[in-house]
Amino acid sequence: MESKLSFDKIRELVDAETTNALSHRMVGEMSFSTDYTRVSLELRRTEEFRQILLMENSFPSQDFFDLTEELERLKVGNTVIDLEAMVDLKASLQTINGCLRFLANDGGVRYPELFRMSQSVELDAQLLKRVSKIVDDKGEIYDDASPALLEIRRQMNRKRTEVDVQIGKSLSRAKREGWAPENAEVTIRNGRLVIPMLDTHRRKMKGLIHDESATRQTAFLEPAEVVELNNDLRELEFAEKHEIQKILATLTDYIRPQLPSLINAYWFLARIDFLRAKARFAISIQAVMPIVNDRPMTDWIDARHPLLFLNHRQQGREVVPFSLKLTPEKSILVISGPNAGGKSVCLKAVGLLQYMLQCGLLVPCRETSEFGIFNSVFIDIGDQQSLENDLSTYSSHLQNMKQLLTVADDRTLFLLDELGGGTEPRSGCAIAEALLEELYKRHSIGVVTTHFAELKLLADKYEGIVNGAMLYDTERMLPLYKLSVGLPGSSFAFEIATKIGFPLDILEAAEQKVGGEMLNFEHQLQQLELDKQEVARQRAELRVSDDFLNDVIVKYQRLTEKLEGKKYDILSEARQQARQILTDANKTVERTIAEIKEANAERQRTQQARSDMQRDLDLLESQQQDHDRQRQEQRHKNKTIDHFADQERTTDRSSQQETDDVVEGPLMVGDIVRIDGGDTYGHLVELKGKKAVVESNSLRMTIAVDRLTKTRKKAIPVDKTQQRNNRFQSIYDDINEKRKVFNPTLDLRGKRAEEALDELRHFIDDAQLLSEKELRILHGKGYGILKTIIRQYLQGLSEVQSYHSAPVDLGGDGITVVHMR
């Protein structure tokens, strides 16, 4: 499995990043896991370390030594730590303490999983101090590691001085007497200081001869005066070694009770080195942590084959990414296209990326990609014939298919290359078709590559099977290595043969043998897929229209309810004001009459009273006219609401009428039928068992009988959906025009806060209208004021699902990525 997917090469690349034996073993034990919790945890830890490598400079980067074997050895009594191991112990303890100190300072804010991992490590704070007082970074024991060692080394220094003085005198005498060459210097033989003597004078000076030259003309003599001093020095060296061994034994006794916690600390260090290796590899292939779901699915965006990426980068070439979405509803992708067009590479990339993720490795794709968890990944690719087992290529494929059928379920990912090939085409294609149908029934998810047109046609038969094509430049006749989902691919056999200069007469003969219909079949198949996509697009637009209309109706219903609620208040207020007017009028009349009586009907006083009364009446009349105008405006609003209500009732009556057109009874040739209970009608032309041939809009189609409904209609009615669409065509045009010019990236750099928020409001409104899911807001870094204001605003919007900073290589904290609901 791993060799088929080239995961063994991925393992080698990760292993090359490790620095000790224990983490090397961890890479070797890295395996495919079906545990969602475990996979997610491993991915989060690796992603956190990737962020450390990209963002931090203070995390330790060297001396990740593995001392677990040495520590296990020290469990045996009377064992002493080696001096070389002690040097590594000091360096690695500094690294462990550096890791723990870094994660403790973070406190789990940015790197929570690594922080939790570090919580299990306990180290004696005095251990590193004691080791540091004994040995230096070069592996030398300090003179003051113990008082006895300090005294021994002082004596050694004095003895060396005496030896140097005495041997200097001996050399000077030998030169003066002519017993040694004029250019002779003190040298070392057998660890002792000696002087070179001419062979003819070797007996002139007392001492020990340790060596002679190859020509036997020079003898190396240790003067007698120095022999005793050197013997004293050698005894001091023995005493030094014994004291050092004693110091190491004392340290070992101090370490021995702490061995369990120390071994655990070194497992932690190895784990850090393992995560560091995975993170370094992830950076080299530009991998990230995607969204991981605990269900079988793939929704990948701009995914790349990691090994192909590394290879192309060395050659200065770009890798064409691919996007793939497979779910239990759309579970099988059938990829077709020319040979050497990238089908098998795409198939391997799917398997490799899924396998990498479930081994805890980050994958090269967009951060918004979604990966699921599968219980098994099955791949059948390449020539697997076996001479030992007497299996042909096709027999080995059949054996693999048999094994797949024994384990396939709704959590299986299968990858089948050149399905149906290797045998007689008709039989091989029939078996392949039956196999795919069975896997489809089991809800398994998979990708297959093929050249058979019958397998491409399965996409018309089953909604969960989708065609895909590796695109090809038909003008230059070169593969584009780009996956296009939704359309079947062509093998371009005749076109490729023509390009390479294949004999034309043979190609013409081949065309006659297959016939024109066969040559045009693939083009017709592609056209059929295009028509299906257009129908799906129109249905999507229709759903948008219905949703828009429903929103309008709901808004007006709410407005009606609101106005009806105010209607009573308005009428009550009007009645109250009318009563007040009448009361005021009566008071005015009574007051006027009283004034006339009091004046005894004097003419001047009477005229004045009438004038005051007229003024009050004019004021009352003016107030009444204002009330009448307000009531007129309210009637106009009520008429508008009633108009929309009538339209809705008309639509309801139309829907009821359509329901009344349904007729019970068997379908007959010549009936007008409704398709899938919708607004599409057709003429029943022919019945074929459970299938029926229906003609609609000059297009004949074969449809399952249970998708048809018999009606009373005598002729195919005009499409009411189209009529309704026309009413809102201007709205669609506005939306489509806005979609053409809409830019999902908003640049607010240099804007004032008020101006930036105003632009952001319009930007979010447009994005929601156009159903945009991912937006990018450029605000720059600076002092972070504009970023803070923008994010505070986004936090209060219900239509915003989440937001975060862009990846470091794509802008980092200077860009906020927004995910809409």
Side-chain angles (χ1 to χ4, degrees), residues 147-176:
L149 181 63
L150 180 60
E151 181 58 32
I152 290 171
R153 287 188 173 174
R154 284 174 178 172
Q155 294 181 21
M156 290 175 64
N157 290 334
R158 286 196 295 267
K159 287 293 180 184
R160 287 194 182 101
T161 302
E162 293 178 15
V163 169
D164 291 341
V165 171
Q166 188 58 51
I167 202 165
K169 290 179 180 180
S170 299
L171 180 61
S172 298
R173 179 187 172 199
K175 288 182 179 180
R176 188 171 59 251

PDB file of all heavy atoms in Angstrom, residues 147-176:
ATOM      1  N   PRO A 147      37.314  19.277  45.609  1.00  0.00           N
ATOM      2  CA  PRO A 147      38.560  19.789  46.211  1.00  0.00           C
ATOM      3  C   PRO A 147      39.755  18.888  45.910  1.00  0.00           C
ATOM      4  O   PRO A 147      40.862  19.380  45.677  1.00  0.00           O
ATOM      5  CB  PRO A 147      38.234  19.820  47.705  1.00  0.00           C
ATOM      6  CG  PRO A 147      36.747  19.923  47.763  1.00  0.00           C
ATOM      7  CD  PRO A 147      36.234  19.148  46.601  1.00  0.00           C
ATOM      8  N   ALA A 148      39.548  17.576  45.932  1.00  0.00           N
ATOM      9  CA  ALA A 148      40.659  16.652  45.666  1.00  0.00           C
ATOM     10  C   ALA A 148      41.170  16.821  44.240  1.00  0.00           C
ATOM     11  O   ALA A 148      42.386  16.815  43.992  1.00  0.00           O
ATOM     12  CB  ALA A 148      40.210  15.214  45.904  1.00  0.00           C
ATOM     13  N   LEU A 149      40.244  16.960  43.262  1.00  0.00           N
ATOM     14  CA  LEU A 149      40.661  17.131  41.874  1.00  0.00           C
ATOM     15  C   LEU A 149      41.425  18.438  41.701  1.00  0.00           C
ATOM     16  O   LEU A 149      42.414  18.500  40.947  1.00  0.00           O
ATOM     17  CB  LEU A 149      39.438  17.099  40.952  1.00  0.00           C
ATOM     18  CG  LEU A 149      39.731  17.234  39.459  1.00  0.00           C
ATOM     19  CD1 LEU A 149      40.576  16.069  38.967  1.00  0.00           C
ATOM     20  CD2 LEU A 149      38.428  17.330  38.651  1.00  0.00           C
ATOM     21  N   LEU A 150      40.985  19.456  42.402  1.00  0.00           N
ATOM     22  CA  LEU A 150      41.666  20.749  42.304  1.00  0.00           C
ATOM     23  C   LEU A 150      43.115  20.630  42.792  1.00  0.00           C
ATOM     24  O   LEU A 150      44.047  21.129  42.147  1.00  0.00           O
ATOM     25  CB  LEU A 150      40.905  21.797  43.133  1.00  0.00           C
ATOM     26  CG  LEU A 150      41.501  23.205  43.141  1.00  0.00           C
ATOM     27  CD1 LEU A 150      41.559  23.784  41.733  1.00  0.00           C
ATOM     28  CD2 LEU A 150      40.680  24.113  44.049  1.00  0.00           C
ATOM     29  N   GLU A 151      43.327  19.905  43.908  1.00  0.00           N
ATOM     30  CA  GLU A 151      44.683  19.727  44.451  1.00  0.00           C
ATOM     31  C   GLU A 151      45.542  18.877  43.515  1.00  0.00           C
ATOM     32  O   GLU A 151      46.717  19.164  43.289  1.00  0.00           O
ATOM     33  CB  GLU A 151      44.597  19.091  45.843  1.00  0.00           C
ATOM     34  CG  GLU A 151      45.946  18.878  46.516  1.00  0.00           C
ATOM     35  CD  GLU A 151      46.727  20.170  46.677  1.00  0.00           C
ATOM     36  OE1 GLU A 151      46.097  21.244  46.854  1.00  0.00           O
ATOM     37  OE2 GLU A 151      47.975  20.115  46.621  1.00  0.00           O
ATOM     38  N   ILE A 152      44.966  17.831  42.981  1.00  0.00           N
ATOM     39  CA  ILE A 152      45.713  16.951  42.062  1.00  0.00           C
ATOM     40  C   ILE A 152      46.191  17.738  40.858  1.00  0.00           C
ATOM     41  O   ILE A 152      47.351  17.620  40.418  1.00  0.00           O
ATOM     42  CB  ILE A 152      44.839  15.755  41.641  1.00  0.00           C
ATOM     43  CG1 ILE A 152      44.620  14.812  42.823  1.00  0.00           C
ATOM     44  CG2 ILE A 152      45.464  15.000  40.466  1.00  0.00           C
ATOM     45  CD1 ILE A 152      43.607  13.718  42.564  1.00  0.00           C
ATOM     46  N   ARG A 153      45.333  18.544  40.287  1.00  0.00           N
ATOM     47  CA  ARG A 153      45.716  19.279  39.077  1.00  0.00           C
ATOM     48  C   ARG A 153      46.734  20.374  39.382  1.00  0.00           C
ATOM     49  O   ARG A 153      47.562  20.701  38.527  1.00  0.00           O
ATOM     50  CB  ARG A 153      44.450  19.856  38.414  1.00  0.00           C
ATOM     51  CG  ARG A 153      43.630  18.758  37.744  1.00  0.00           C
ATOM     52  CD  ARG A 153      42.495  19.300  36.930  1.00  0.00           C
ATOM     53  NE  ARG A 153      41.852  18.221  36.178  1.00  0.00           N
ATOM     54  CZ  ARG A 153      40.739  18.373  35.455  1.00  0.00           C
ATOM     55  NH1 ARG A 153      40.163  19.572  35.403  1.00  0.00           N
ATOM     56  NH2 ARG A 153      40.226  17.351  34.809  1.00  0.00           N
ATOM     57  N   ARG A 154      46.693  20.925  40.586  1.00  0.00           N
ATOM     58  CA  ARG A 154      47.724  21.893  40.958  1.00  0.00           C
ATOM     59  C   ARG A 154      49.096  21.205  41.017  1.00  0.00           C
ATOM     60  O   ARG A 154      50.102  21.734  40.529  1.00  0.00           O
ATOM     61  CB  ARG A 154      47.399  22.524  42.302  1.00  0.00           C
ATOM     62  CG  ARG A 154      46.288  23.577  42.230  1.00  0.00           C
ATOM     63  CD  ARG A 154      45.923  24.063  43.629  1.00  0.00           C
ATOM     64  NE  ARG A 154      44.890  25.105  43.571  1.00  0.00           N
ATOM     65  CZ  ARG A 154      44.267  25.596  44.647  1.00  0.00           C
ATOM     66  NH1 ARG A 154      44.592  25.124  45.864  1.00  0.00           N
ATOM     67  NH2 ARG A 154      43.364  26.526  44.501  1.00  0.00           N
ATOM     68  N   GLN A 155      49.122  20.004  41.629  1.00  0.00           N
ATOM     69  CA  GLN A 155      50.373  19.259  41.683  1.00  0.00           C
ATOM     70  C   GLN A 155      50.849  18.871  40.281  1.00  0.00           C
ATOM     71  O   GLN A 155      52.049  18.904  39.991  1.00  0.00           O
ATOM     72  CB  GLN A 155      50.200  18.001  42.541  1.00  0.00           C
ATOM     73  CG  GLN A 155      49.935  18.290  44.019  1.00  0.00           C
ATOM     74  CD  GLN A 155      49.786  17.023  44.836  1.00  0.00           C
ATOM     75  OE1 GLN A 155      50.243  15.935  44.434  1.00  0.00           O
ATOM     76  NE2 GLN A 155      49.153  17.149  46.019  1.00  0.00           N
ATOM     77  N   MET A 156      49.921  18.516  39.438  1.00  0.00           N
ATOM     78  CA  MET A 156      50.284  18.145  38.065  1.00  0.00           C
ATOM     79  C   MET A 156      50.910  19.330  37.334  1.00  0.00           C
ATOM     80  O   MET A 156      51.888  19.172  36.590  1.00  0.00           O
ATOM     81  CB  MET A 156      49.041  17.638  37.308  1.00  0.00           C
ATOM     82  CG  MET A 156      48.542  16.281  37.792  1.00  0.00           C
ATOM     83  SD  MET A 156      46.998  15.779  36.989  1.00  0.00           S
ATOM     84  CE  MET A 156      47.534  15.615  35.300  1.00  0.00           C
ATOM     85  N   ASN A 157      50.338  20.500  37.546  1.00  0.00           N
ATOM     86  CA  ASN A 157      50.896  21.688  36.892  1.00  0.00           C
ATOM     87  C   ASN A 157      52.318  21.971  37.382  1.00  0.00           C
ATOM     88  O   ASN A 157      53.201  22.339  36.597  1.00  0.00           O
ATOM     89  CB  ASN A 157      49.994  22.903  37.146  1.00  0.00           C
ATOM     90  CG  ASN A 157      48.678  22.809  36.408  1.00  0.00           C
ATOM     91  OD1 ASN A 157      48.593  22.149  35.369  1.00  0.00           O
ATOM     92  ND2 ASN A 157      47.654  23.458  36.931  1.00  0.00           N
ATOM     93  N   ARG A 158      52.553  21.789  38.705  1.00  0.00           N
ATOM     94  CA  ARG A 158      53.901  22.009  39.239  1.00  0.00           C
ATOM     95  C   ARG A 158      54.881  20.988  38.670  1.00  0.00           C
ATOM     96  O   ARG A 158      56.010  21.340  38.284  1.00  0.00           O
ATOM     97  CB  ARG A 158      53.883  21.929  40.774  1.00  0.00           C
ATOM     98  CG  ARG A 158      53.250  23.145  41.441  1.00  0.00           C
ATOM     99  CD  ARG A 158      53.595  23.201  42.920  1.00  0.00           C
ATOM    100  NE  ARG A 158      53.014  22.071  43.647  1.00  0.00           N
ATOM    101  CZ  ARG A 158      51.828  22.095  44.251  1.00  0.00           C
ATOM    102  NH1 ARG A 158      51.081  23.193  44.205  1.00  0.00           N
ATOM    103  NH2 ARG A 158      51.391  21.043  44.907  1.00  0.00           N
ATOM    104  N   LYS A 159      54.467  19.733  38.601  1.00  0.00           N
ATOM    105  CA  LYS A 159      55.340  18.696  38.061  1.00  0.00           C
ATOM    106  C   LYS A 159      55.645  18.946  36.589  1.00  0.00           C
ATOM    107  O   LYS A 159      56.782  18.730  36.130  1.00  0.00           O
ATOM    108  CB  LYS A 159      54.690  17.320  38.212  1.00  0.00           C
ATOM    109  CG  LYS A 159      54.680  16.793  39.646  1.00  0.00           C
ATOM    110  CD  LYS A 159      56.098  16.508  40.125  1.00  0.00           C
ATOM    111  CE  LYS A 159      56.095  15.980  41.553  1.00  0.00           C
ATOM    112  NZ  LYS A 159      57.477  15.786  42.053  1.00  0.00           N
ATOM    113  N   ARG A 160      54.652  19.386  35.839  1.00  0.00           N
ATOM    114  CA  ARG A 160      54.886  19.672  34.411  1.00  0.00           C
ATOM    115  C   ARG A 160      55.901  20.802  34.261  1.00  0.00           C
ATOM    116  O   ARG A 160      56.746  20.783  33.358  1.00  0.00           O
ATOM    117  CB  ARG A 160      53.569  20.036  33.724  1.00  0.00           C
ATOM    118  CG  ARG A 160      52.633  18.857  33.519  1.00  0.00           C
ATOM    119  CD  ARG A 160      51.522  19.215  32.549  1.00  0.00           C
ATOM    120  NE  ARG A 160      50.586  18.109  32.391  1.00  0.00           N
ATOM    121  CZ  ARG A 160      49.411  18.015  32.981  1.00  0.00           C
ATOM    122  NH1 ARG A 160      49.022  18.997  33.801  1.00  0.00           N
ATOM    123  NH2 ARG A 160      48.632  16.969  32.777  1.00  0.00           N
ATOM    124  N   THR A 161      55.797  21.771  35.153  1.00  0.00           N
ATOM    125  CA  THR A 161      56.764  22.875  35.096  1.00  0.00           C
ATOM    126  C   THR A 161      58.181  22.361  35.366  1.00  0.00           C
ATOM    127  O   THR A 161      59.144  22.733  34.673  1.00  0.00           O
ATOM    128  CB  THR A 161      56.378  23.962  36.119  1.00  0.00           C
ATOM    129  OG1 THR A 161      55.061  24.430  35.831  1.00  0.00           O
ATOM    130  CG2 THR A 161      57.360  25.125  36.058  1.00  0.00           C
ATOM    131  N   GLU A 162      58.312  21.514  36.403  1.00  0.00           N
ATOM    132  CA  GLU A 162      59.621  20.958  36.719  1.00  0.00           C
ATOM    133  C   GLU A 162      60.163  20.125  35.560  1.00  0.00           C
ATOM    134  O   GLU A 162      61.355  20.176  35.222  1.00  0.00           O
ATOM    135  CB  GLU A 162      59.542  20.100  37.991  1.00  0.00           C
ATOM    136  CG  GLU A 162      59.235  20.890  39.259  1.00  0.00           C
ATOM    137  CD  GLU A 162      59.120  19.986  40.476  1.00  0.00           C
ATOM    138  OE1 GLU A 162      59.569  18.813  40.374  1.00  0.00           O
ATOM    139  OE2 GLU A 162      58.568  20.426  41.497  1.00  0.00           O
ATOM    140  N   VAL A 163      59.285  19.330  34.954  1.00  0.00           N
ATOM    141  CA  VAL A 163      59.707  18.506  33.816  1.00  0.00           C
ATOM    142  C   VAL A 163      60.180  19.393  32.673  1.00  0.00           C
ATOM    143  O   VAL A 163      61.219  19.129  32.040  1.00  0.00           O
ATOM    144  CB  VAL A 163      58.563  17.581  33.369  1.00  0.00           C
ATOM    145  CG1 VAL A 163      58.903  16.920  32.043  1.00  0.00           C
ATOM    146  CG2 VAL A 163      58.284  16.513  34.421  1.00  0.00           C
ATOM    147  N   ASP A 164      59.405  20.462  32.391  1.00  0.00           N
ATOM    148  CA  ASP A 164      59.783  21.356  31.290  1.00  0.00           C
ATOM    149  C   ASP A 164      61.155  21.995  31.545  1.00  0.00           C
ATOM    150  O   ASP A 164      61.997  22.103  30.644  1.00  0.00           O
ATOM    151  CB  ASP A 164      58.717  22.442  31.121  1.00  0.00           C
ATOM    152  CG  ASP A 164      57.412  21.881  30.592  1.00  0.00           C
ATOM    153  OD1 ASP A 164      57.438  20.767  30.022  1.00  0.00           O
ATOM    154  OD2 ASP A 164      56.360  22.557  30.746  1.00  0.00           O
ATOM    155  N   VAL A 165      61.370  22.417  32.783  1.00  0.00           N
ATOM    156  CA  VAL A 165      62.654  23.067  33.111  1.00  0.00           C
ATOM    157  C   VAL A 165      63.816  22.079  32.972  1.00  0.00           C
ATOM    158  O   VAL A 165      64.857  22.367  32.360  1.00  0.00           O
ATOM    159  CB  VAL A 165      62.603  23.651  34.540  1.00  0.00           C
ATOM    160  CG1 VAL A 165      63.992  24.125  34.975  1.00  0.00           C
ATOM    161  CG2 VAL A 165      61.589  24.788  34.609  1.00  0.00           C
ATOM    162  N   GLN A 166      63.612  20.860  33.525  1.00  0.00           N
ATOM    163  CA  GLN A 166      64.705  19.884  33.515  1.00  0.00           C
ATOM    164  C   GLN A 166      65.024  19.387  32.123  1.00  0.00           C
ATOM    165  O   GLN A 166      66.183  19.265  31.740  1.00  0.00           O
ATOM    166  CB  GLN A 166      64.337  18.692  34.418  1.00  0.00           C
ATOM    167  CG  GLN A 166      65.480  17.707  34.644  1.00  0.00           C
ATOM    168  CD  GLN A 166      66.705  18.365  35.255  1.00  0.00           C
ATOM    169  OE1 GLN A 166      66.614  19.072  36.269  1.00  0.00           O
ATOM    170  NE2 GLN A 166      67.866  18.171  34.661  1.00  0.00           N
ATOM    171  N   ILE A 167      64.002  19.132  31.347  1.00  0.00           N
ATOM    172  CA  ILE A 167      64.276  18.619  30.003  1.00  0.00           C
ATOM    173  C   ILE A 167      64.852  19.705  29.109  1.00  0.00           C
ATOM    174  O   ILE A 167      65.615  19.444  28.183  1.00  0.00           O
ATOM    175  CB  ILE A 167      63.007  17.991  29.387  1.00  0.00           C
ATOM    176  CG1 ILE A 167      63.410  17.009  28.284  1.00  0.00           C
ATOM    177  CG2 ILE A 167      62.066  19.069  28.814  1.00  0.00           C
ATOM    178  CD1 ILE A 167      62.308  16.083  27.850  1.00  0.00           C
ATOM    179  N   GLY A 168      64.493  20.967  29.429  1.00  0.00           N
ATOM    180  CA  GLY A 168      65.100  22.069  28.689  1.00  0.00           C
ATOM    181  C   GLY A 168      66.595  22.142  28.943  1.00  0.00           C
ATOM    182  O   GLY A 168      67.403  22.390  28.036  1.00  0.00           O
ATOM    183  N   LYS A 169      66.986  21.925  30.204  1.00  0.00           N
ATOM    184  CA  LYS A 169      68.398  21.931  30.529  1.00  0.00           C
ATOM    185  C   LYS A 169      69.131  20.781  29.816  1.00  0.00           C
ATOM    186  O   LYS A 169      70.232  20.949  29.290  1.00  0.00           O
ATOM    187  CB  LYS A 169      68.585  21.794  32.048  1.00  0.00           C
ATOM    188  CG  LYS A 169      68.147  23.020  32.851  1.00  0.00           C
ATOM    189  CD  LYS A 169      68.345  22.775  34.336  1.00  0.00           C
ATOM    190  CE  LYS A 169      67.919  23.987  35.154  1.00  0.00           C
ATOM    191  NZ  LYS A 169      68.121  23.752  36.623  1.00  0.00           N
ATOM    192  N   SER A 170      68.516  19.603  29.822  1.00  0.00           N
ATOM    193  CA  SER A 170      69.140  18.442  29.182  1.00  0.00           C
ATOM    194  C   SER A 170      69.318  18.679  27.691  1.00  0.00           C
ATOM    195  O   SER A 170      70.354  18.307  27.100  1.00  0.00           O
ATOM    196  CB  SER A 170      68.301  17.187  29.434  1.00  0.00           C
ATOM    197  OG  SER A 170      68.196  16.906  30.810  1.00  0.00           O
ATOM    198  N   LEU A 171      68.299  19.292  27.040  1.00  0.00           N
ATOM    199  CA  LEU A 171      68.394  19.553  25.603  1.00  0.00           C
ATOM    200  C   LEU A 171      69.495  20.564  25.317  1.00  0.00           C
ATOM    201  O   LEU A 171      70.280  20.403  24.358  1.00  0.00           O
ATOM    202  CB  LEU A 171      67.043  20.061  25.074  1.00  0.00           C
ATOM    203  CG  LEU A 171      66.991  20.387  23.583  1.00  0.00           C
ATOM    204  CD1 LEU A 171      67.290  19.149  22.721  1.00  0.00           C
ATOM    205  CD2 LEU A 171      65.620  20.960  23.193  1.00  0.00           C
ATOM    206  N   SER A 172      69.596  21.592  26.158  1.00  0.00           N
ATOM    207  CA  SER A 172      70.640  22.604  25.947  1.00  0.00           C
ATOM    208  C   SER A 172      72.034  21.974  26.089  1.00  0.00           C
ATOM    209  O   SER A 172      72.954  22.259  25.300  1.00  0.00           O
ATOM    210  CB  SER A 172      70.474  23.736  26.964  1.00  0.00           C
ATOM    211  OG  SER A 172      69.231  24.378  26.785  1.00  0.00           O
ATOM    212  N   ARG A 173      72.205  21.107  27.062  1.00  0.00           N
ATOM    213  CA  ARG A 173      73.507  20.444  27.253  1.00  0.00           C
ATOM    214  C   ARG A 173      73.845  19.561  26.057  1.00  0.00           C
ATOM    215  O   ARG A 173      74.984  19.550  25.574  1.00  0.00           O
ATOM    216  CB  ARG A 173      73.456  19.617  28.533  1.00  0.00           C
ATOM    217  CG  ARG A 173      74.750  18.871  28.805  1.00  0.00           C
ATOM    218  CD  ARG A 173      74.578  17.949  29.970  1.00  0.00           C
ATOM    219  NE  ARG A 173      75.752  17.095  30.137  1.00  0.00           N
ATOM    220  CZ  ARG A 173      75.784  15.963  30.820  1.00  0.00           C
ATOM    221  NH1 ARG A 173      74.658  15.527  31.411  1.00  0.00           N
ATOM    222  NH2 ARG A 173      76.904  15.262  30.935  1.00  0.00           N
ATOM    223  N   ALA A 174      72.823  18.794  25.569  1.00  0.00           N
ATOM    224  CA  ALA A 174      73.079  17.900  24.437  1.00  0.00           C
ATOM    225  C   ALA A 174      73.497  18.691  23.208  1.00  0.00           C
ATOM    226  O   ALA A 174      74.377  18.273  22.443  1.00  0.00           O
ATOM    227  CB  ALA A 174      71.841  17.063  24.149  1.00  0.00           C
ATOM    228  N   LYS A 175      72.851  19.839  22.988  1.00  0.00           N
ATOM    229  CA  LYS A 175      73.222  20.665  21.828  1.00  0.00           C
ATOM    230  C   LYS A 175      74.639  21.223  22.018  1.00  0.00           C
ATOM    231  O   LYS A 175      75.432  21.282  21.065  1.00  0.00           O
ATOM    232  CB  LYS A 175      72.205  21.804  21.655  1.00  0.00           C
ATOM    233  CG  LYS A 175      70.849  21.373  21.145  1.00  0.00           C
ATOM    234  CD  LYS A 175      69.948  22.598  20.960  1.00  0.00           C
ATOM    235  CE  LYS A 175      68.601  22.217  20.424  1.00  0.00           C
ATOM    236  NZ  LYS A 175      67.723  23.394  20.244  1.00  0.00           N
ATOM    237  N   ARG A 176      74.912  21.652  23.249  1.00  0.00           N
ATOM    238  CA  ARG A 176      76.226  22.255  23.514  1.00  0.00           C
ATOM    239  C   ARG A 176      77.350  21.236  23.322  1.00  0.00           C
ATOM    240  O   ARG A 176      78.427  21.551  22.814  1.00  0.00           O
ATOM    241  CB  ARG A 176      76.221  22.807  24.934  1.00  0.00           C
ATOM    242  CG  ARG A 176      77.460  23.621  25.283  1.00  0.00           C
ATOM    243  CD  ARG A 176      77.325  24.330  26.612  1.00  0.00           C
ATOM    244  NE  ARG A 176      77.088  23.412  27.715  1.00  0.00           N
ATOM    245  CZ  ARG A 176      75.941  23.286  28.362  1.00  0.00           C
ATOM    246  NH1 ARG A 176      74.896  24.040  27.999  1.00  0.00           N
ATOM    247  NH2 ARG A 176      75.788  22.413  29.367  1.00  0.00           N
TER     248      ARG A 176
END
